């Protein structure tokens, strides 16, 4: 697997997962699902979804280099980033479901306790992957 | 020389004027500070705390000082605007000063304990005391005047009995609402009742209903005129039992009672109560996480209803209360009331001033979200009354 293919795979994972998630948030906002807690809902998204997307976008915004066509140096870093990302995305969807089936305030506020920790792990692993790809 | 004297006089008087004005206006900031304190203290009740921290104790102490410094007019203004209700005040008082002695006259008094006459802060005379009851003479032997609570006529006309000062123990909130032993009658002959005393209808005046209608105290069109409060209660209970009400609770109101039904879960499309056990579910049992909940873009809502039958000879205008708070009250209203009327209340005669009012409270509660208290009602009152399955007699 080349570095470029690995980057595309990671980007696809995040793109395919984040678009429906954001779409649900927009539709909920339009339907008044969040009531007077819309700001809290979007703060949640800004805090736990957008940083990862920004990191991927930032990596792609740098011009492509000939190294992209080289084979992947460390498969562990790539697969680690994929698995941690997938795990994190599943948790994001669980929280999205909890907003509807439980107390919204609790789900928004309390999810921050664990999402922050997992997100740090995800961003760290993804950052390592993108930096290693540039070497 | 004369000019000099005049100037000297003005110079001497000048500092006195702002001082006098400052004294006159000193109360306004006090009132503002009290309102600020009350807002902060109200959070203690919202959080249902069972103990206060040092900051909250200081706030309570400061509040007492400020209330003592207010005149009667300002206390009235505070009472109208304060977010603290009677029960909340009692709760905080019991938490802040558990060993503070409170006067509880034998055979009456607030069943929740604290009576803060010293603060001039008695909401509605402890739940709607009649003017006569409020004018009951305080005992000269007690440092704090007794809180006059609504009582049976026997007790109202009885001479003041010997005072008895009790020390309230620092009981948790649950314990404070527990029923207390029935007071012995002070003057009226007859058997001693072992019934639970009624609690004051909380809140009083009642929250603004979604719909209300005055009825005849005779209840049924075909029944003979009701002679006593007990007879009215019996007729209403029969209707509720036939309408398969799970439970109901009684509260004391001036000259009668309030009969509150257990909160019912309504079908949002028809307005009719659900059948079976679903009728009594006032709280959604959250289902596990499902695919549909992840992609749900609207929140499901529950619709709820409570009936309050109010028999009184001193009706009061309902008061608007926050929907969330009203719903919380409504959820436990029936359960916290007394299951039956004490004998002395049952024996009260129905007078020409007695009216029976049926009030319906309708709510829409979004899952994990806001609560709407429908005002006016979403479904017609006649539809609600027809679900009782009995014809009710209009007032004559």
């Amino acid at each position: 697997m080349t570095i470029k293919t690995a980057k595309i795979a990671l980007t696809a994972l995040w793109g395919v997962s984040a678009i429906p998630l954001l779409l649900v948030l927009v539709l909920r906002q339009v339907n008044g699902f969040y009531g007077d807690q819309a700001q809290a809902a979007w703060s949640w998204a800004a805090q736990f979804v957008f940083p990862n997307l920004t990191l991927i976008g930032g990596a792609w915004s740098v011009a492509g280099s000939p190294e992209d066509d080289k084979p992947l140096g460390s498969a562990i870093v790539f697969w680690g980033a994929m698995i941690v990302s997938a795990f994190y995305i599943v948790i994001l969807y669980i929280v999205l479901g909890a907003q509807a089936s439980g107390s919204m305030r609790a789900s928004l506020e309390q999810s921050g306790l664990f999402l922050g920790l997992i997100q740090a792990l995800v961003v760290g692993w993804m950052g390592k992957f993108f930096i290693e790809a540039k070497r | 020389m004369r000019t000099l004297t005049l100037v000297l006089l003005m110079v001497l008087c000048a500092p006195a004027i702002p001082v006098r004005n400052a004294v006159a206006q000193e109360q306004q900031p006090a009132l503002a500070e009290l309102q600020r304190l009350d807002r902060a203290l109200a959070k203690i009740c919202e959080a249902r705390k069972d103990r206060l921290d040092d900051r909250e104790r200081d706030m309570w102490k400061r509040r007492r000082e400020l209330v003592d410094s207010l005149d009667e007019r300002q206390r009235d203004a505070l009472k109208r605007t304060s977010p603290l209700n009677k029960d909340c005040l009692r709760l905080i008082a019991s938490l802040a000063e558990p060993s503070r002695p409170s006067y509880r006259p034998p055979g009456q008094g607030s069943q929740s304990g604290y009576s803060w006459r010293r603060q001039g802060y008695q909401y509605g005379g402890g739940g709607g005391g009649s003017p006569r009851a409020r004018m009951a003479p305080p005992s000269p032997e007690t440092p704090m005047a007794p809180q006059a609570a609504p009582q049976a006529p026997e007790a109202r006309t009885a001479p003041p009995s010997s005072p008895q000062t009790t020390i309230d123990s620092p009981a948790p909130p649950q314990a404070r609402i527990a029923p207390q032993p029935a007071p012995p009658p002070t003057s009226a002959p007859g058997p001693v009742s072992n019934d639970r005393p009624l609690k004051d209808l909380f809140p009083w005046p009642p929250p603004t209903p979604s719909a209300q209608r005055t009825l005849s105290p005779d209840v049924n069109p075909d029944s003979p005129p009701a002679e006593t409060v007990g007879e009215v209660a019996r007729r209403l209970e029969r209707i509720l039992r036939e309408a398969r009400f799970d439970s109901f609770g009684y509260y004391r109101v001036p000259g009668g009672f309030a009969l509150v039904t257990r909160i019912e879960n309504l079908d949002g499309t028809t307005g009719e109560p659900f059948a079976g056990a679903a009728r009594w579910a006032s709280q959604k049992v959250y289902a596990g996480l499902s695919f549909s909940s992840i992609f749900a873009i609207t929140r499901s809502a529950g619709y709820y209803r409570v009936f309050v039958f109010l028999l009184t000879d001193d009706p009061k205008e309902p008061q608007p209360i926050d929907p969330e708070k009203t719903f919380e009250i409504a959820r436990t209203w029936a359960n916290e009331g007394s299951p039956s009327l004490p004998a002395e209340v049952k024996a009260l005669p129905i007078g020409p001033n007695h009216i029976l009012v049926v009030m319906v409270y309708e709510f829409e509660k979004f899952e994990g979200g806001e609560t709407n208290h429908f005002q006016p009602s979403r479904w017609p009152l006649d539809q609600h009354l027809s679900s009782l399955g009995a014809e009710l007699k209009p007032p004559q």
Side-chain angles (χ1 to χ4, degrees):
Chain A
M1 185 188 281
T2 62
I3 290 172
K4 191 174 183 178
T5 315
K7 277 167 73 175
I8 289 171
L10 194 60
T11 306
L13 172 70
W14 271 97
V16 167
S17 311
I19 288 168
L21 193 144
L22 293 174
L23 203 62
V24 169
L25 284 175
V26 170
L27 288 172
R28 283 181 177 184
Q29 168 77 51
V30 170
N31 282 299
F33 180 96
Y34 291 115
D36 55 357
Q37 292 175 50
Q39 199 177 350
W42 285 104
S43 298
W44 176 85
Q47 203 176 339
F48 298 114
V49 182
F50 284 94
N52 303 64
L53 298 178
T54 311
L55 178 69
I56 293 170
W60 278 106
S61 68
V62 180
S65 62
E67 280 79 21
D68 280 2
D69 294 325
K70 286 182 180 173
L72 204 58
S74 171
I76 293 173
V77 174
F78 167 68
W79 285 111
M82 286 290 277
I83 290 166
V84 171
S85 292
F87 177 67
Y88 183 68
I89 288 162
V90 167
I91 291 175
L92 286 179
Y93 273 95
I94 287 173
V95 175
L96 201 68
Q99 289 174 6
S101 65
S103 166
M104 190 161 61
R105 186 182 292 274
S107 66
L108 287 173
E109 287 174 1
Q110 292 177 14
S111 65
L113 299 174
F114 52 85
L115 280 179
L117 292 174
I118 304 167
Q119 189 191 30
L121 196 70
V122 175
V123 170
W125 213 300
M126 280 169 63
K128 186 173 170 57
F129 166 72
F130 283 116
I131 289 167
E132 289 217 340
K134 284 284 154 205
R135 281 181 185 166
Chain B
M1 185 64 193
R2 210 167 52 196
T3 315
L4 193 67
T5 312
L6 206 64
V7 168
L8 201 66
L9 208 65
M10 281 174 70
V11 167
L12 286 171
C13 288
I17 295 165
V19 168
R20 215 170 44 239
N21 286 343
V23 170
Q25 291 178 358
E26 196 179 326
Q27 305 302 337
Q28 283 308 105
L31 208 56
E33 187 181 352
L34 266 168
Q35 283 165 347
R36 207 167 47 245
L37 283 171
D38 281 5
R39 277 196 295 276
L41 288 167
K43 288 176 185 159
I44 296 170
C45 298
E46 284 169 16
R48 293 170 188 259
K49 288 189 173 181
D50 55 4
R51 60 190 295 272
L52 303 183
D53 59 31
D54 291 344
R55 199 181 118 266
E56 288 161 345
R57 275 178 207 281
D58 289 344
M59 277 162 52
W60 176 251
K61 209 170 142 189
R62 175 70 182 144
R63 184 184 187 282
R64 272 183 46 209
E65 288 166 8
L66 289 171
V67 169
D68 284 345
S69 72
L70 298 183
D71 60 29
E72 206 55 46
R73 190 177 50 81
Q74 287 166 325
R75 284 181 187 181
D76 282 346
L78 175 67
K79 199 161 70 175
R80 280 195 306 274
T81 55
S82 170
L84 289 178
N85 59 36
K86 185 181 69 179
D87 275 18
C88 185
L89 273 171
R90 285 179 183 156
L91 171 67
I92 301 169
S94 66
L95 294 174
E97 298 163 81
S99 59
R100 188 182 181 89
S102 73
Y103 178 81
R104 186 182 302 140
Q108 56 167 296
S110 164
Q111 291 157 35
S112 308
Y114 270 81
S115 167
W116 283 82
R117 181 58 172 269
R118 193 165 155 255
Q119 292 188 2
Y121 217 125
Q122 296 172 326
Y123 278 93
S130 71
R132 264 182 300 172
R134 274 199 284 272
M135 286 190 294
S139 164
E141 295 168 42
T142 47
M144 282 190 278
Q147 179 181 12
Q151 341 157 19
E154 298 86 10
R156 276 205 290 258
T157 52
S161 54
S162 61
Q164 175 189 328
T165 305
T166 58
I167 309 287
D168 278 359
S169 59
Q174 291 84 351
R176 287 186 304 103
I177 57 165
Q180 296 173 1
T186 49
S187 65
V192 175
S193 168
N194 288 326
D195 293 327
R196 262 168 45 165
L198 287 186
K199 285 201 282 186
D200 300 335
L201 176 66
F202 170 74
W204 180 259
T208 309
S210 303
Q212 60 180 333
R213 187 175 293 169
T214 308
L215 304 170
S216 164
D218 302 337
V219 183
N220 305 117
D222 307 327
S223 304
E227 301 284 337
T228 61
V229 166
E231 217 169 313
V232 179
R234 203 171 49 248
R235 290 175 189 180
L236 287 172
E237 277 190 27
R238 193 169 56 235
I239 290 173
L240 295 183
R241 270 196 297 272
E242 282 171 7
R244 296 182 175 277
F245 270 86
D246 180 76
S247 62
F248 38 79
Y250 283 100
Y251 289 87
R252 174 171 49 193
V253 299
F257 63 82
L259 177 57
V260 186
T261 61
R262 182 174 173 177
I263 195 163
E264 294 171 274
N265 198 354
L266 304 181
D267 185 328
T269 48
T270 63
E272 294 295 328
F274 284 115
R279 182 180 177 186
W280 310 116
S282 64
Q283 214 160 21
K284 282 264 182 197
V285 177
Y286 296 127
L289 197 66
S290 63
F291 188 77
S292 60
S293 69
I294 290 172
F295 294 100
I297 53 168
T298 53
R299 293 184 81 76
S300 62
Y303 297 89
Y304 303 96
R305 171 179 78 180
V306 170
F307 282 103
V308 176
F309 293 93
L310 199 67
L311 180 71
T312 180
D313 58 0
D314 184 17
K316 292 265 190 292
E317 282 290 310
Q319 54 174 335
I321 298 184
D322 172 60
E324 191 75 45
K325 203 185 258 182
T326 314
F327 182 69
E328 282 310 307
I329 292 167
R331 260 193 13 200
T332 54
W333 225 348
N335 290 357
E336 289 184 358
S338 181
S340 62
L341 280 178
E344 62 265 27
V345 177
K346 279 182 185 168
L348 288 173
I350 297 293
N353 294 332
H354 269 100
I355 60 162
L356 178 66
V357 182
V358 58
M359 298 193 285
V360 176
Y361 294 86
E362 281 177 11
F363 302 95
E364 179 186 40
K365 172 83 180 155
F366 284 94
E367 226 177 295
E370 75 269 27
T371 304
N372 293 325
H373 176 192
F374 290 119
Q375 290 179 38
S377 62
R378 178 173 168 178
W379 294 284
L381 180 62
D382 282 328
Q383 184 184 329
H384 288 302
L385 295 179
S386 72
S387 72
L388 292 174
E391 197 184 343
L392 296 167
K393 189 176 176 180
Q396 290 149 339

